[in-house]
């Protein structure tokens, strides 16, 4: 099982380049950054409680952070944890994703979320009720730009005529899409339709009960479920529990690291590095 780390890079924390370099130096397989464009005052609560943490409003841009991390490292994989695809224009987003994958020599993992903040989506002109359909269509449009010499797309939410776009991602077909969403029929359908994996949140999703359902949906679509990437965010740090999760089919455990300065981040990374085999 691969082990990775995730942090919120903010204007008050250790920078993404320094964080990624420190994670790579300690032997972690991947580093992940989240994204929010802004936090509307009308947001209310969040999935973790009634008060949204301050770091959600202070997060450095996801793709700027990944670019900085790519330039500071050579081996560690770079993950979006997660990218709010529906809130981006897909042509620009395809360019950003392809550029990071190109500049990192094919190290990007595209963690994708449907989103939970209604007010944030509304400010981007996104209908909350349509966010899953928009996400799926944006990914299909981006794949066309990533894989075709001359691409065009005609959908409900995205339309563009014959166009050329480079760079292409280093990874054939584009970076793997790992869907970060709660368990259920809609999630299973999405993974089977266009995802290469699932990224549940530990303690918030019935991971053990749902993994087989995801695998069955992927198998029914004609794909090999053994190729699924199951990435668990906020993974436990108990070695015995990690062994159990690996037996369940978890392929990557991602540990949270505090959004802080080097005096707190480096000791936290050192402690987590003790879990590396």
């Amino acid at each position: 099982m691969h082990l990775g780390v995730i942090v919120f890079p903010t204007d008050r924390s250790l920078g993404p380049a320094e964080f990624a370099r420190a994670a790579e130096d300690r032997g972690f397989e991947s580093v992940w950054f989240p994204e929010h464009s802004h936090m509307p005052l009308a947001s209310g609560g969040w999935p973790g409680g009634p008060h949204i943490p301050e770091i959600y409003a202070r997060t450095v841009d996801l793709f700027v952070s990944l670019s900085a991390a790519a330039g500071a490292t050579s081996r560690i994989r770079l993950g979006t944890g997660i990218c709010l695809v529906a809130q981006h224009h897909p042509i620009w987003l395809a360019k950003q994703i392809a550029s990071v994958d190109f500049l990192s020599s094919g190290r990007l993992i595209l963690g994708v979320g449907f989103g939970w903040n209604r007010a944030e989506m509304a400010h981007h002109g996104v209908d909350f009720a349509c966010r899953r359909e928009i996400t799926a269509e944006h990914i299909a449009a981006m794949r066309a730009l990533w894989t075709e010499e001359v691409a065009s797309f005609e959908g409900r939410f995205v339309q563009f005529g014959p166009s050329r776009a480079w760079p292409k991602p280093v990874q054939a077909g584009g970076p793997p899409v790992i869907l970060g969403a709660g368990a259920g029929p809609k999630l299973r359908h999405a993974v089977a339709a266009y995802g290469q994996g699932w990224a549940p949140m530990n303690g918030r999703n019935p991971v053990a009960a749902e993994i087989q359902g995801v695998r069955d949906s992927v198998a029914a679509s004609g794909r090999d479920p053994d190729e699924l990437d199951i990435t668990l965010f906020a993974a436990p740090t108990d070695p015995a529990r990690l062994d159990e999760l690996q037996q369940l089919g978890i392929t990557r455990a991602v540990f949270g690291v505090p959004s802080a300065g080097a005096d707190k981040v480096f000791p936290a990374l050192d402690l987590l590095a003790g879990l590396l085999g």
Side-chain angles (χ1 to χ4, degrees):
M1 182 166 60
H2 299 302
L3 301 183
V5 286
I6 184 170
V7 75
F8 276 74
T10 75
D11 59 329
R12 295 175 171 176
S13 74
L14 185 70
E18 294 82 1
F19 181 84
R21 187 184 304 115
E24 181 174 83
D25 288 346
R26 287 160 176 78
F28 289 100
E29 177 262 352
S30 55
V31 61
W32 301 73
F33 301 133
E35 105 166 323
H36 281 285
S37 57
H38 66 305
M39 275 294 115
L41 297 184
S43 295
W46 67 302
H51 303 293
I52 299 174
E54 176 70 9
I55 54 175
Y56 277 65
R58 308 193 78 99
T59 304
V60 178
D61 179 81
L62 173 59
F63 291 99
V64 172
S65 295
L66 288 170
S67 297
T73 59
S74 61
R75 176 196 57 80
I76 198 165
R77 301 207 67 181
L78 309 169
T80 64
I82 47 71
C83 178
L84 298 168
V85 168
Q87 294 176 195
H88 289 267
H89 192 289
I91 298 176
W92 269 125
L93 184 58
K95 171 75 77 174
Q96 292 171 296
I97 291 168
S99 296
V100 172
D101 198 62
F102 173 75
L103 293 172
S104 68
S105 300
R107 290 187 279 144
L108 186 62
I109 305 171
L110 185 58
V112 170
F114 301 117
W116 53 267
N117 192 318
R118 293 172 181 263
E120 182 182 5
M121 288 186 194
H123 288 185
H124 286 282
V126 176
D127 182 348
F128 185 84
C130 298
R131 69 196 189 284
R132 292 175 182 269
E133 292 80 5
I134 294 170
T135 298
E137 193 168 292
H138 281 195
I139 290 173
M142 291 193 296
R143 286 207 188 280
L145 290 165
W146 293 336
T147 59
E148 299 172 15
E149 291 289 308
V150 177
S152 59
F153 196 87
E154 188 66 33
R156 176 184 173 190
F157 304 102
V158 185
Q159 306 88 31
F160 57 85
S163 304
R164 301 165 70 240
W166 277 271
K168 303 297 185 187
V170 171
Q171 299 179 82
V177 172
I178 313 296
L179 292 171
K186 292 180 180 179
L187 178 278
R188 293 194 294 270
H189 172 77
V191 174
Y194 61 87
Q196 285 72 57
W198 177 37
M201 182 72 72
N202 184 43
R204 202 178 296 168
N205 302 122
V207 178
E210 186 64 15
I211 284 178
Q212 191 58 50
V214 173
R215 289 176 58 85
D216 289 345
S217 294
V218 169
S221 73
R223 292 163 51 204
D224 183 357
D226 290 337
E227 295 180 357
L228 274 175
D229 182 336
I230 309 294
T231 294
L232 183 67
F233 285 120
T237 57
D238 175 36
R241 180 59 180 146
L242 289 174
D243 288 342
E244 293 174 4
L245 292 169
Q246 185 172 11
Q247 293 302 315
L248 284 173
I250 302 295
T251 52
R252 179 183 294 106
V254 178
F255 308 110
V257 176
S259 178
D263 59 325
K264 293 184 179 179
V265 169
F266 290 163
L269 288 174
D270 288 337
L271 188 63
L272 291 170
L275 297 169
L276 295 166

